[in-house]
Structure formats: C-alpha cells, structure tokens
Amino acid sequence: GESVGLHLPTLSVQEGDNSIINCAYSNSASDYFIWYKQESGKGPQFIIDIRSNMDKRQGQRVTVLLNKTVKHLSLQIAATQPGDSAVYFCAESNAGNMLTFGGGTRLMVKP
Amino acid sequence: ETGVTQTPRHLVMGMTNKKSLKCEQHLGHNAMYWYKQSAKKPLELMFVYSLEERVENNSVPSRFSPECPNSSHLFLHLHTLQPEDSALYLCASSHSRDRGQPQHFGDGTRLSIL
C-alpha cells in the first residue's frame, strides 16, 4: 500500500497577528517541557523551556503556558513574522533528561 | 561556528554498504544523543551517551552502532540498512543528563537507502 506521511496540523496566521500553538502531553510525571522550532532543511532550534513548578514563562516575543491539570502546553508568539514560519514541536521529559516529542504543528505566516 | 555540526548533510547508500555519520559539538556538553526523524513518526530517541558512556539504547536494531570516543564527538555506524531506515538523523547535546537541561540539535544527515 501507499506510505502515508505524518499529518501535521497547520496554523495559518496573518503577519503581525499573534499565534497560539497548542500541545497535549501524555506523562503526568514529566517535569520539564521545551518548545522547538524547525525550519526546512535544519535541525530543531530551542525556543523556550519551562519547568513544572511554573505555569508561565516569557521570552522575547514568545510565552509558554503550562497547565498541569489537563496536561496542556501552549506557545504564544506575539506579532508573528514571516521568519516564524516553521514546524513547532513540544517535548516533555523527566528523569534522565530524555525528551519525548509531539508530532509538531506547521505555522504558516501570510504576508 | 554552529554549536552542533553533523556530517555529511546528505548520504545515499545501498543496503549492503557501510557508512558512518559524524557529530561534533562545540558547546562543552557532556551528554550527546542520536534521534531519527522520519516522515511517518515523531522524532524518536535512539541512543544517549553521558560522559562517553552509553546510557540508553532505545530498542534500536543492531544495524545501527553508535560510538562516542570523547565528549565532543559522536558517531553512528551504519551497515546493511533497510529502505525504512531512510530518514533525517539528528544529533543533539546537553550540558548533562540532569533534569531540565535543554538539548541543542545539529542540522542532521538526510539518509536515503536505495
């Protein structure tokens, strides 16, 4: 049969708008979470991380929110730019610093 | 110079060939990782090295053989691979394996098995 690639959900936003990318994680014991950005032809690039003793952390134009009750993580990008177009992955880890990655979300920014 | 460098960037090999992927990190980190990224699955951890000792082998077939001669270099030796092994192979490093250490990735080797 024909091979089917991993289907990535896509978020399409207008340049200048805010973007929100969501992620559900699976392991309630996970205590560290990271967001990565992957552009075509490149490896994942670290954006921002958060530990489980926090529920919000801000960086430059990015904010990560953590809701441990429902095991949900989100990445907010303010004033989205064309250079933000990429695939975004969340990852979770606990002991041993081994990361488990989500399937990714493709962000497309319309000029 | 980028923090984590992988060579070659692209590799095409037959199923009977033997080749090696190389990773070098310039970040002074003590832990290094191999991941596989294919079109069909999320990023999968393959191997973990800490202070040059292999600490994790995530049920990877023996046709993949890692080597870590020092804390800056990591290799992945390949032999008798299968078509389903075609993927992007990513190397990463972190300061240690302690909780909460971000991993920094190279740009990967795109491997195609004929």
Side-chain angles (χ1 to χ4, degrees), chain B residues 19-40:
Chain B
K19 295 286 184 183
S20 296
L21 311 185
K22 180 183 176 182
C23 176
E24 183 174 2
Q25 57 96 1
H26 310 276
L27 301 168
H29 289 168
N30 291 315
M32 296 186 77
Y33 311 78
W34 278 116
Y35 287 86
K36 176 183 179 182
Q37 187 175 37
S38 65
K40 302 174 191 174

Short mmCIF file of all heavy atoms in Angstrom, two decimals, chain B residues 19-40:
data_model
loop_
_atom_site.label_atom_id
_atom_site.label_comp_id
_atom_site.label_asym_id
_atom_site.label_seq_id
_atom_site.Cartn_x
_atom_site.Cartn_y
_atom_site.Cartn_z
N LYS B 19 28.60 2.78 6.20
CA LYS B 19 28.94 4.20 6.26
C LYS B 19 28.84 4.65 7.71
O LYS B 19 28.28 3.96 8.56
CB LYS B 19 27.98 5.04 5.41
CG LYS B 19 28.04 4.78 3.93
CD LYS B 19 29.29 5.36 3.31
CE LYS B 19 29.25 5.15 1.79
NZ LYS B 19 30.49 5.65 1.14
N SER B 20 29.35 5.86 7.97
CA SER B 20 29.27 6.43 9.32
C SER B 20 28.80 7.87 9.26
O SER B 20 29.20 8.63 8.38
CB SER B 20 30.63 6.36 10.01
OG SER B 20 31.03 5.03 10.21
N LEU B 21 27.97 8.23 10.22
CA LEU B 21 27.56 9.62 10.42
C LEU B 21 28.38 10.18 11.56
O LEU B 21 28.65 9.49 12.55
CB LEU B 21 26.07 9.71 10.76
CG LEU B 21 25.10 8.95 9.86
CD1 LEU B 21 23.66 9.25 10.28
CD2 LEU B 21 25.33 9.26 8.41
N LYS B 22 28.73 11.46 11.42
CA LYS B 22 29.57 12.10 12.43
C LYS B 22 28.86 13.30 13.03
O LYS B 22 28.16 14.04 12.33
CB LYS B 22 30.89 12.55 11.81
CG LYS B 22 31.83 13.25 12.77
CD LYS B 22 33.09 13.73 12.07
CE LYS B 22 33.99 14.52 13.00
NZ LYS B 22 35.21 15.02 12.30
N CYS B 23 29.06 13.49 14.32
CA CYS B 23 28.52 14.65 15.03
C CYS B 23 29.61 15.22 15.93
O CYS B 23 30.32 14.45 16.60
CB CYS B 23 27.32 14.23 15.88
SG CYS B 23 26.64 15.56 16.90
N GLU B 24 29.73 16.53 15.92
CA GLU B 24 30.70 17.19 16.78
C GLU B 24 30.02 18.37 17.46
O GLU B 24 29.33 19.16 16.81
CB GLU B 24 31.89 17.68 15.95
CG GLU B 24 33.00 18.32 16.78
CD GLU B 24 34.23 18.66 15.95
OE1 GLU B 24 34.22 18.42 14.73
OE2 GLU B 24 35.20 19.18 16.54
N GLN B 25 30.21 18.48 18.78
CA GLN B 25 29.62 19.62 19.47
C GLN B 25 30.72 20.49 20.07
O GLN B 25 31.72 19.98 20.59
CB GLN B 25 28.59 19.17 20.53
CG GLN B 25 29.09 18.22 21.59
CD GLN B 25 29.53 18.88 22.87
OE1 GLN B 25 29.45 20.11 23.01
NE2 GLN B 25 30.00 18.09 23.82
N HIS B 26 30.51 21.79 19.97
CA HIS B 26 31.49 22.79 20.42
C HIS B 26 30.95 23.57 21.62
O HIS B 26 31.28 24.74 21.80
CB HIS B 26 31.80 23.75 19.27
CG HIS B 26 32.14 23.06 17.98
ND1 HIS B 26 33.40 22.62 17.70
CD2 HIS B 26 31.37 22.72 16.92
CE1 HIS B 26 33.40 22.05 16.50
NE2 HIS B 26 32.18 22.09 16.01
N LEU B 27 30.11 22.93 22.41
CA LEU B 27 29.41 23.62 23.49
C LEU B 27 29.93 23.22 24.87
O LEU B 27 29.41 23.70 25.88
CB LEU B 27 27.90 23.34 23.39
CG LEU B 27 27.24 23.78 22.08
CD1 LEU B 27 25.84 23.22 21.96
CD2 LEU B 27 27.21 25.31 22.00
N GLY B 28 30.88 22.30 24.90
CA GLY B 28 31.39 21.85 26.19
C GLY B 28 30.42 20.97 26.94
O GLY B 28 30.49 20.86 28.16
N HIS B 29 29.50 20.34 26.23
CA HIS B 29 28.49 19.49 26.85
C HIS B 29 29.03 18.10 27.16
O HIS B 29 30.00 17.64 26.56
CB HIS B 29 27.26 19.38 25.94
CG HIS B 29 26.47 20.64 25.88
ND1 HIS B 29 25.47 20.84 24.94
CD2 HIS B 29 26.49 21.76 26.62
CE1 HIS B 29 24.91 22.03 25.12
NE2 HIS B 29 25.53 22.61 26.14
N ASN B 30 28.34 17.42 28.08
CA ASN B 30 28.77 16.09 28.49
C ASN B 30 27.80 14.98 28.08
O ASN B 30 28.08 13.81 28.33
CB ASN B 30 28.94 16.03 30.01
CG ASN B 30 30.13 16.86 30.47
OD1 ASN B 30 31.20 16.79 29.87
ND2 ASN B 30 29.94 17.66 31.50
N ALA B 31 26.67 15.33 27.52
CA ALA B 31 25.70 14.33 27.08
C ALA B 31 25.41 14.54 25.60
O ALA B 31 25.29 15.69 25.14
CB ALA B 31 24.40 14.43 27.88
N MET B 32 25.32 13.44 24.87
CA MET B 32 25.03 13.52 23.44
C MET B 32 23.99 12.46 23.10
O MET B 32 23.88 11.42 23.74
CB MET B 32 26.30 13.32 22.60
CG MET B 32 27.33 14.43 22.84
SD MET B 32 28.75 14.33 21.75
CE MET B 32 28.06 14.99 20.22
N TYR B 33 23.22 12.76 22.03
CA TYR B 33 22.04 11.96 21.69
C TYR B 33 21.96 11.77 20.17
O TYR B 33 22.31 12.68 19.41
CB TYR B 33 20.76 12.69 22.12
CG TYR B 33 20.74 13.21 23.54
CD1 TYR B 33 21.42 14.38 23.89
CD2 TYR B 33 20.04 12.54 24.54
CE1 TYR B 33 21.40 14.86 25.19
CE2 TYR B 33 20.01 13.02 25.84
CZ TYR B 33 20.69 14.19 26.15
OH TYR B 33 20.67 14.67 27.45
N TRP B 34 21.46 10.60 19.76
CA TRP B 34 21.06 10.39 18.37
C TRP B 34 19.53 10.25 18.32
O TRP B 34 18.95 9.51 19.12
CB TRP B 34 21.67 9.12 17.79
CG TRP B 34 23.07 9.24 17.29
CD1 TRP B 34 24.18 8.60 17.76
CD2 TRP B 34 23.54 10.04 16.20
NE1 TRP B 34 25.29 8.96 17.05
CE2 TRP B 34 24.93 9.84 16.08
CE3 TRP B 34 22.92 10.92 15.30
CZ2 TRP B 34 25.72 10.47 15.11
CZ3 TRP B 34 23.69 11.56 14.34
CH2 TRP B 34 25.07 11.33 14.25
N TYR B 35 18.93 10.95 17.34
CA TYR B 35 17.49 10.86 17.09
C TYR B 35 17.27 10.50 15.61
O TYR B 35 18.07 10.85 14.75
CB TYR B 35 16.79 12.20 17.32
CG TYR B 35 16.64 12.61 18.76
CD1 TYR B 35 17.66 13.30 19.43
CD2 TYR B 35 15.47 12.34 19.46
CE1 TYR B 35 17.51 13.69 20.74
CE2 TYR B 35 15.30 12.75 20.77
CZ TYR B 35 16.33 13.41 21.41
OH TYR B 35 16.17 13.82 22.72
N LYS B 36 16.13 9.88 15.36
CA LYS B 36 15.68 9.61 13.99
C LYS B 36 14.41 10.40 13.74
O LYS B 36 13.48 10.37 14.56
CB LYS B 36 15.40 8.12 13.80
CG LYS B 36 14.84 7.76 12.43
CD LYS B 36 14.53 6.26 12.36
CE LYS B 36 13.94 5.89 11.00
NZ LYS B 36 13.59 4.45 10.92
N GLN B 37 14.36 11.13 12.61
CA GLN B 37 13.16 11.86 12.23
C GLN B 37 12.72 11.39 10.86
O GLN B 37 13.38 11.63 9.85
CB GLN B 37 13.42 13.37 12.23
CG GLN B 37 12.15 14.19 12.00
CD GLN B 37 12.39 15.69 12.11
OE1 GLN B 37 13.43 16.20 11.70
NE2 GLN B 37 11.43 16.41 12.68
N SER B 38 11.60 10.68 10.82
CA SER B 38 11.07 10.20 9.54
C SER B 38 9.75 10.87 9.25
O SER B 38 9.16 11.51 10.10
CB SER B 38 10.91 8.68 9.57
OG SER B 38 9.92 8.32 10.51
N ALA B 39 9.31 10.69 8.01
CA ALA B 39 8.07 11.34 7.59
C ALA B 39 6.86 10.73 8.29
O ALA B 39 5.81 11.34 8.37
CB ALA B 39 7.92 11.22 6.08
N LYS B 40 7.01 9.52 8.83
CA LYS B 40 5.85 8.80 9.34
C LYS B 40 5.68 8.89 10.85
O LYS B 40 4.63 8.53 11.36
CB LYS B 40 5.94 7.33 8.94
CG LYS B 40 6.05 7.09 7.45
CD LYS B 40 6.28 5.62 7.15
CE LYS B 40 6.66 5.41 5.69
NZ LYS B 40 7.03 4.01 5.41
#
